[in-house]
């Protein structure tokens, strides 16, 4: 499984690139969030949609190595628990 490293800034401007990169992943989705310093609502929507799509196709979705900033943003936006759920 190939790891996709998330960029430092996941804001509205980064959303189109994030969407295109996730669409290109044909296997299980494994993301690494160690570099993320800022996570905005639009990119969170894309991550949640990618998770839903992957699960509907019987694939796994996981974000590993969350940076402190990314984890804090996910908690503040109420999505940490959803993205932490086991998908296998």
């Amino acid at each position: 499984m190939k790891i996709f490293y998330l960029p430092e800034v996941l804001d509205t401007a980064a959303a189109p690139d994030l969407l295109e990169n996730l669409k290109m992943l044909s296997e299980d989705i494994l993301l690494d969030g160690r570099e993320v310093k800022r996570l905005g609502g639009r990119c969170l929507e894309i991550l949640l949609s990618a998770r839903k799509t992957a699960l509907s196709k019987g694939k796994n979705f996981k974000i590993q190595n969350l940076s402190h900033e990314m984890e804090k943003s996910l908690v503040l936006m109420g999505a940490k628990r959803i993205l932490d759920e086991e998908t296998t």
Side-chain angles (χ1 to χ4, degrees), residues 4-25 29-33 36 38-51 61 63 70 74 83:
F4 178 76
Y5 292 89
L6 295 168
E8 187 174 314
V9 178
L10 289 171
D11 59 7
T12 302
D17 286 339
L18 177 62
L19 180 60
E20 287 307 310
N21 283 315
L22 291 176
K23 282 182 179 181
M24 292 185 337
L25 300 175
I29 297 176
L30 178 57
L31 307 175
D32 190 293
V36 177
R38 188 171 8 152
L39 174 64
R42 182 65 185 122
C43 284
L44 175 59
E45 288 175 12
I46 291 168
L47 292 172
L48 292 171
S49 178
R51 180 184 184 276
F61 179 95
I63 303 175
M70 184 175 188
L74 289 172
L83 292 174

